Amino acid sequence: MDDQLALRIQLFREGGQVRPEVADFVTTELTSLEAEGRTVTEATAGMLTSHLMMALGRILDGEAIEQFLTDDQIAAELAGHPDAVARARAVSARAERELGAPLPESEVNFLGMHLAVLAQQPPSAPTS
C-alpha cells in the first residue's frame, strides 16, 4: 500500500468518518490483496477503499442500503469476472464474521466491480 492510500485510511479514521475496526478491517483486506501480488495504491484502490469503508460504516450504523437501478447491469458485467465476485462474497462473509456487517447484494456487486478493475492492473513487485 502506498503512502497516499495509507493517508486516505488515516484521514477516514482520524476524522471520525469510520470506526477504527472498519479502518482496520479494510486495511487488512488491502494488505491481503497486496500480498497476492495486486497493485494496491491510491490510484488503483482509492475508490475501493472509500467505498468499502463507507458501506461498512453505514451498515454498522443501521442505515439502509438500497438496491440500485444499475444492479442488473453490474451483475451482467461481473459474469465475466467470477474471481472478483468470489472475492467480494468472501469479503462480505469476513465482514459479517468480524464486524457483524454483511454486505447486501448490491454492495457485493459494487465491491466485485472494484476488485475486477484492480485485477486488471499490472501486478506489483513482490515485497520481502
Side-chain angles (χ1 to χ4, degrees):
M1 177 181 334
D2 68 0
D3 291 344
Q4 288 179 322
L5 188 57
L7 179 60
R8 177 186 292 257
I9 295 169
Q10 179 183 348
L11 291 172
F12 268 91
R13 181 191 303 262
E14 291 177 0
Q17 292 176 290
V18 297
R19 298 176 188 194
E21 62 268 26
V22 169
D24 292 343
F25 178 85
V26 173
T27 299
T28 299
E29 290 298 322
L30 295 172
T31 301
S32 176
L33 286 165
E34 191 170 51
E36 294 169 10
R38 303 282 187 232
T39 301
V40 179
T41 65
E42 174 66 22
T44 64
M47 295 307 295
L48 179 155
T49 301
S50 293
H51 190 120
L52 185 55
M53 284 198 295
M54 296 305 293
L56 291 170
R58 287 192 307 268
I59 293 165
L60 287 172
D61 289 342
E63 295 178 31
I65 296 181
E66 299 180 24
Q67 293 289 108
F68 297 97
L69 297 176
T70 58
D71 280 351
D72 290 339
Q73 292 170 317
I74 291 172
E77 178 70 27
L78 285 172
H81 303 280
D83 291 344
V85 173
R87 180 63 178 252
R89 291 195 190 294
V91 170
S92 179
R94 282 189 294 278
E96 181 174 20
R97 187 175 59 249
E98 295 175 23
L99 300 171
L103 296 169
E105 191 65 21
S106 60
E107 290 296 336
V108 169
N109 286 341
F110 273 110
L111 179 57
M113 288 297 289
H114 285 297
L115 292 168
V117 169
L118 185 64
Q120 294 174 6
Q121 300 298 316
S124 63
T127 56
S128 46

